[in-house]
Amino acid sequence: MRTLGELVPKIVNSIRDFSEFKVFCYVAFQAKNKIREGNLFLFTSCQPDKLVYKREDSKFEIIPKDFDFNRCKERAIGLLDREQQKINNFKDGYYHFKEIGKYPIASFMLHQVIELTYRNLELFLIGKERITHSIRSHHLCLKDIDGGYNGIFDDENDEDINLLQMLENIYRATRYEDNFYVDIEMLIEIESKMKALMAYSKKTIEKVIDRFEEISTSYLKSVNAQLKTEVTKESDEDRLNNVVNRIKESLSIDMAIYLFGQRKRSFSMEGIHTIVDDGDHHYDLLIVGDADIREQVSNLQANLNQSSDTSVLLISFTKDQVQKQLDNNSPFFHQVLQFRETLFCSENFHFYPVFDENIVNNGVQTEGEDKMVWYNREQNAKGFFHGGARIDESEEIGVKVLLYNQAIEQACLGLLEYYLGYKPYQYNLMHLYDLCCSFWSFPNDIFPRSTIEEIDLFNNLVNTVKDIRYKGNTHMDWDEVYRYEARCERFIEECGKLVRGE
């Protein structure tokens, strides 16, 4: 599969003679996910009336029919509020240090206000931020993507050119030089640019939200006009069948599909108004095939999970890989293949697994060895946890959360190996935690993920590794960190109690 890094230069080169057009490229399911998470730029840009080309055999829909406009808007506003809070904190710091005459520190605060405002605008307008501390780079980026952006910094004006250079110096000098100084006149000039940028940012964001409101209102009116008096709810069986059918359509190999877990969350209220919410449905499916299709299955899972009320966890193994697990007396595969429902089997798919008749189906066979496996994982989990807990309120906030991430990963691996003899082929927290949620109830209580806020809280924990690895930092406050600390400690304790039978 080719990456955007390979394709974008070719696309840009192909339209180089059409200077009035600019290309922004996104991976399809990632763009769809960004829209669900509240990216209003992608939502307003990907409306049907703006579609100019779609491959004839493509069934991909970037905005699904069951799209939740209110949730999208809530997430967009929530993200804006969080980013604006950071900006306001730096702005308050600027005015404080300016008032007491500490101009170098005040100038750094001012730089951060401008940088974060630019980054917020980039995320809001194109769904991507430029990873740089250079105000000049952010200025040129915004100038490139928004024709309405002008009047902040004039590239032809010597004074503005000097201000941009001073902002470059401020970021470096306040961090790495001991005797940096900036006078009050320069500070006031940059402050005026900050005010102009923030005013432009507010106006631009309001325009985008207004456009979103127009589209959502128009859509809801058309849907309401088509609603029938009776609404037939999709049954659980139909819902599961739809998932299986989409898997069959997407994977062109002979295979068998097994259901090894499911869970459902619903809500009802009786009073003056009666509210019944059919809730969220989750299915855990094992796919056994002739060939290794894990990459396709991973992409398919991402696509299936775009639905607002149905999610899946898909794991994929070849026949040989499954038989090898059975030969190793894996309780997980013995239980799934012997006692769980087969949802689908291709006509030409022939699989005759050989089972060990002596396997203990409801437990582990070599408890002493497996207890040692759990003990090692538990010690690793506690080591990561205590390492994170000892980091105090400093700039290592991302490292602290990363250690909690790794602690929960180790505990998840310990449970899966001890109880099920199962070693996952994906070693990331999202996959491991979903697996644990499939077999035990307490992980769902610790990170329930039934509201937007809870989903965001868990996703931020999961994404910490990627953020630290590729961005070098993560944007969190200490209130979030302490919530992770409490939940991480509780998760490790609950795992230990489960193993010890308490």
Side-chain angles (χ1 to χ4, degrees):
M1 182 181 293
R2 290 178 294 178
T3 64
L4 284 183
E6 298 172 339
L7 295 174
V8 172
K10 296 179 181 179
I11 296 171
V12 172
N13 187 55
S14 67
I15 64 166
R16 65 183 183 278
D17 295 331
F18 302 93
S19 58
E20 66 272 25
F21 294 101
K22 183 171 180 61
V23 174
F24 295 99
C25 297
Y26 301 83
V27 176
F29 76 85
Q30 290 177 349
K32 190 172 184 176
N33 194 45
K34 282 180 179 290
I35 291 174
R36 291 177 64 247
E37 291 175 354
N39 191 293
L40 301 189
F41 161 75
L42 285 172
F43 172 81
T44 55
S45 299
C46 297
Q47 291 301 306
D49 60 330
K50 295 183 178 180
L51 182 66
V52 295
Y53 170 76
K54 184 176 181 179
R55 198 175 65 190
E56 290 184 5
D57 60 343
S58 174
K59 298 180 180 179
F60 178 75
E61 290 184 349
I62 192 166
I63 302 178
K65 294 178 181 178
D66 61 348
F67 184 75
D68 190 330
F69 290 91
N70 290 329
R71 180 177 290 187
C72 177
K73 182 181 176 182
E74 286 174 6
R75 288 184 170 182
I77 298 299
L79 176 61
L80 284 171
D81 289 344
R82 290 194 296 274
E83 294 303 312
Q84 191 59 51
Q85 183 62 48
K86 298 173 189 175
I87 294 169
N88 290 339
N89 289 341
F90 277 111
K91 187 170 70 170
D92 292 343
Y94 161 69
Y95 284 117
H96 169 73
F97 287 112
K98 175 188 172 187
E99 184 178 351
I100 64 177
K102 294 191 175 182
Y103 299 147
I105 301 178
S107 69
F108 177 77
M109 296 289 175
L110 192 54
H111 177 283
Q112 292 302 102
V113 174
I114 295 173
E115 179 188 334
L116 291 177
T117 303
Y118 271 120
R119 285 189 177 219
N120 195 28
L121 278 167
E122 290 160 5
L123 281 170
F124 198 72
L125 290 176
I126 61 172
K128 299 177 182 179
E129 62 177 326
R130 179 161 290 190
I131 309 300
T132 176
H133 298 295
S134 169
I135 303 301
R136 179 184 286 109
S137 295
H138 288 296
H139 160 68
L140 293 175
C141 175
L142 200 58
K143 186 177 177 182
D144 198 29
I145 64 179
D146 184 6
Y149 169 74
N150 54 45
I152 310 299
F153 292 100
D154 185 352
D155 296 330
E156 305 297 326
N157 184 292
D158 290 340
E159 291 184 3
D160 281 4
I161 293 173
N162 289 335
L163 287 179
L164 286 170
Q165 185 57 51
M166 175 56 73
L167 284 164
E168 304 289 310
N169 296 339
I170 285 171
Y171 183 80
R172 289 193 298 268
T174 52
R175 291 169 64 90
Y176 305 116
E177 297 179 14
D178 295 328
N179 300 314
F180 175 72
Y181 178 76
V182 58
D183 58 51
I184 186 63
E185 289 79 12
M186 177 65 72
L187 214 56
I188 291 172
E189 286 187 54
I190 300 175
E191 181 184 330
S192 68
K193 297 296 184 183
M194 173 199 74
K195 291 178 178 178
L197 179 63
M198 294 187 74
Y200 161 79
S201 174
K202 181 180 178 182
K203 182 179 179 182
T204 301
I205 289 171
E206 287 175 351
K207 284 171 61 178
V208 175
I209 292 177
D210 288 344
R211 175 58 180 153
F212 173 82
E213 294 281 11
E214 290 175 12
I215 294 172
S216 61
T217 301
S218 174
Y219 175 83
L220 291 174
K221 283 182 179 179
S222 65
V223 169
N224 289 334
Q226 298 172 11
L227 284 177
K228 297 180 180 179
T229 305
E230 295 184 0
V231 178
T232 304
K233 289 189 176 180
E234 186 179 32
S235 69
D236 290 351
E237 183 178 353
D238 290 339
R239 193 186 301 272
L240 181 56
N241 287 338
N242 287 337
V243 171
V244 173
N245 288 335
R246 289 188 62 183
I247 294 174
K248 289 157 55 179
E249 292 171 1
S250 303
L251 301 177
S252 56
I253 67 164
D254 292 325
M255 61 185 167
I257 303 174
Y258 301 86
L259 176 69
F260 67 87
Q262 61 179 309
R263 54 187 183 271
K264 175 182 177 181
R265 180 188 63 84
S266 60
F267 170 79
S268 64
M269 180 181 74
E270 294 184 6
I272 296 176
H273 301 288
T274 298
I275 299 174
V276 178
D277 180 0
D278 196 31
D280 299 328
H281 298 69
H282 178 89
Y283 303 104
D284 304 303
L285 303 172
L286 167 65
I287 300 173
V288 181
D290 289 316
D292 188 337
I293 53 170
R294 285 176 178 172
E295 184 176 352
Q296 297 96 305
V297 167
S298 177
N299 292 332
L300 175 59
Q301 177 178 307
N303 286 328
L304 290 172
N305 286 339
Q306 303 305 314
S307 170
S308 60
D309 60 358
T310 303
S311 61
V312 298
L313 172 66
L314 305 180
I315 58 176
S316 171
F317 289 82
T318 65
K319 292 188 293 186
D320 291 341
Q321 289 169 339
V322 171
Q323 187 57 58
K324 184 176 180 180
Q325 294 289 334
L326 293 172
D327 293 341
N328 290 331
N329 289 345
S330 166
F332 170 74
F333 284 97
H334 274 79
Q335 291 183 40
V336 172
L337 297 178
Q338 285 186 292
F339 306 111
R340 297 292 179 171
E341 180 183 0
T342 305
L343 299 178
F344 169 77
C345 184
S346 301
E347 184 177 351
N348 297 322
F349 184 73
H350 304 291
F351 180 39
Y352 307 103
V354 178
F355 299 101
D356 183 346
E357 295 181 358
N358 297 318
I359 187 70
V360 180
N361 290 313
N362 295 316
V364 289
Q365 194 171 19
T366 52
E367 186 172 338
E369 294 179 9
D370 289 331
K371 272 282 178 69
M372 183 57 66
V373 169
W374 161 250
Y375 175 78
N376 291 334
R377 292 293 188 186
E378 183 183 36
Q379 293 307 304
N380 291 342
K382 289 181 177 179
F384 281 122
F385 172 77
H386 292 312
R390 287 189 174 90
I391 296 178
D392 57 10
E393 296 194 20
S394 63
E395 289 189 356
E396 291 96 9
I397 184 171
V399 176
K400 187 180 182 78
V401 178
L402 184 147
L403 290 171
Y404 294 150
N405 173 300
Q406 295 300 298
I408 296 176
E409 273 195 15
Q410 288 295 311
C412 288
L413 286 167
L415 282 187
L416 295 170
E417 291 168 355
Y418 172 70
Y419 276 101
L420 303 170
Y422 180 73
K423 293 186 177 181
Y425 57 83
Q426 288 187 40
Y427 281 74
N428 64 74
L429 183 57
M430 179 69 79
H431 183 74
L432 297 174
Y433 205 86
D434 280 345
L435 279 170
C436 288
C437 288
S438 302
F439 303 114
W440 300 283
S441 60
F442 73 87
N444 295 286
D445 296 332
I446 295 174
F447 283 101
R449 293 179 284 175
S450 58
T451 66
I452 296 171
E453 291 75 16
E454 290 167 347
I455 292 171
D456 288 341
L457 182 71
F458 183 73
N459 287 346
N460 288 339
L461 175 63
V462 170
N463 293 331
T464 300
V465 175
K466 180 177 66 177
D467 290 341
I468 294 294
R469 181 178 297 159
Y470 298 112
K471 296 181 181 179
N473 58 38
T474 184
H475 299 297
M476 292 186 187
D477 58 44
W478 280 95
D479 289 338
E480 285 183 283
V481 172
Y482 290 129
R483 282 195 287 176
Y484 291 134
E485 182 172 311
R487 296 187 190 206
C488 178
E489 184 175 26
R490 182 185 166 199
F491 184 79
I492 296 171
E493 288 177 353
E494 292 294 332
C495 291
K497 290 178 181 178
L498 184 67
V499 173
R500 292 188 296 272
E502 297 179 4

